[in-house]
């Protein structure tokens, strides 16, 4: 049950990030939901992790921005 609980938290975090991501939203609108899900599944299933790249990413500071406005395209220009 503890593992399931952690997986649900991870799933919710990914869901929130996807819902509020500007570029992801634009990409899904461009390629379609079914195509995006298929490509995402393939990337998560068949791709080998590049540990060197992951180390470089964790060493550099990053930033996530959540969008709360209805007109998210206009807010993208300000960001």
């Amino acid at each position: 049950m503890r593992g399931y609980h952690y997986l649900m938290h991870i799933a919710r975090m990914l869901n929130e990030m996807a819902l509020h991501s500007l570029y992801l939203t634009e990409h899904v609108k461009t390629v379609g939901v079914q195509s995006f899900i298929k490509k995402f599944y393939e990337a998560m299933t068949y791709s080998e992790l590049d540990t060197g790249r992951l180390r470089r990413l964790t060493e550099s500071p990053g930033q996530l921005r959540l969008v709360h406005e209805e007109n998210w395209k206009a807010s993208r220009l300000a960001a």
Side-chain angles (χ1 to χ4, degrees), residues 7-79:
L7 287 174
M8 289 304 295
H9 279 287
I10 292 169
R12 184 176 187 282
M13 178 192 66
L14 290 172
N15 188 39
E16 289 295 320
M17 288 173 55
L19 286 173
H20 296 291
S21 173
L22 300 175
Y23 298 114
L24 185 62
T25 304
E26 285 182 7
H27 180 69
V28 171
K29 286 181 179 179
T30 302
V31 300
V33 175
Q34 293 293 339
S35 176
F36 172 76
I37 291 172
K38 180 181 177 185
K39 289 180 182 180
F40 183 77
Y41 173 77
E42 289 172 358
M44 297 304 287
T45 304
Y46 302 115
S47 297
E48 186 173 323
L49 287 177
D50 183 359
T51 56
R53 181 171 182 250
L54 290 175
R55 279 193 197 97
R56 288 191 304 275
L57 287 172
T58 57
E59 291 169 356
S60 66
Q63 183 180 48
L64 293 175
R65 294 183 182 187
L66 298 179
V67 177
H68 297 287
E69 294 97 16
E70 288 294 322
N71 188 2
W72 59 270
K73 286 188 178 185
S75 65
R76 176 179 156 209
L77 299 175

